[in-house]
Amino acid sequence: MPPGTPTPGRHYALLLFADFGHVAPTLGVARELIARGHRVTYVVDERFAPLVEDCGARAVTYTSARGAFYRTGDPSPDRLARDGYDLLVDTVRTVFPAARDGLAADPPDAVLYDFETVAAGRVTARVLDAVPVQVCPSHAANETFSLRAQLWDPGHPLMAEGASVLIDFMGQHGIGLEEMGRYGAEWDERNLVFLPRAFQIEGDSFDDRFAFVGPTFTEPRPGLWSPPADGCRVALVSLGTESGDRGGFFRLCAEAFPASEWQVVMTLGRDTDPAALGPLPAHVEAHSWLPHPAVLPHADVFVCHAGMGSLMESLAYGTPVVALPHAHELVLSARRLEERGVGRNLPRAGLTARGLADTVAGLLADPATPPALSRMREAVREAGGAARAADLLEAWAARSPAVEAAG
């Protein structure tokens, strides 16, 4: 079957970590699949149900016990291990039963899952005879590069407890010790990666098991935001959808960009009231949330936390980034910006308005920045986005046990 040939009636299920940054990168793919006549179901934390239903998908909901995982700045190794263990337990005790029961009446042809839902996703695919597909909203892992090794201490006592949870869970579903290595690997035989290969750490080491399709976001509707009429430069500032304000960060950014030269657009987080910042200078506007693609075509710089969704949106429009990562793989992504010449990595600790202003000025004055941005923007465009992802999923779903048995 040629790529892009629709096969009406296929069913795709997604089991994703309860975080906007994990759900949002898949929505463009879901829209594309639905437009081709397929069905899409998300097994998702209840607070994301409106988001997925808005794109035409069905939501099977549960209440996540995620807690503060990925929200706490600079967590200790003990805190990170505890949060990771609690998340693993939640995926096998809550997410998997929700998926098994919610999908049983209409079994999917493919099950998509991510780094944090590996156990639930792979076992769901096995139980329901579906093709497992790992999706990567951030850097993928293979035999050369391990994201897991960057995050977890293998000697921590909770790692052994987590292994015991996995062994028990898989054993309950007929997966013996001889198979557990495959079920516990950091990657699958089919992997969709929502960044271009050029941005992936050790990108040249990844083989054809990995499809680097780049970002899949859709253009926002017109009229959400308009650039300043006076032609001032625009700085977009965000710490992501859930990070919120920390230590007066947003007020510091307001000081870093002088009113005579800049219009500053801040997105504070979906649960943050702009009034909480207090009075702001006239050249600063604060929003609880605003789709970044509404602003990025007009922005001269994007100051952000180095979340991969934010980075991919920025690089798709050729906007340079000043990244202030706070934890986890965000630090790796911020370093990657510098390696590719498209941004600067600025430590959050000890940050001052003058330090931020000087970093922005240096980035914009660097003659190597525009060509580097142009190369990365082209890499994003050539990756294929939602259309290529849907082509691949159609081809992979055609090999599912259920489809092959039917015909």
Side-chain angles (χ1 to χ4, degrees), residues 111-124:
V111 171
L112 284 64
Y113 64 91
D114 60 28
F115 180 72
E116 282 82 6
T117 55
V118 163
R122 291 177 182 172
V123 175
T124 297

Side-chain angles (χ1 to χ4, degrees), residues 314-330:
S314 193
L315 297 178
Y317 289 102
T319 305
V321 178
V322 173
L324 298 105
H326 63 85
H328 310 307
E329 81 273 12
L330 305 181

Side-chain angles (χ1 to χ4, degrees), residues 108-109 125-126 128-132 396-407:
D109 298 293
R126 179 186 177 105
L128 299 179
D129 288 329
V131 171
W396 292 339
R399 302 169 194 165
S400 76
V403 170
E404 290 177 350

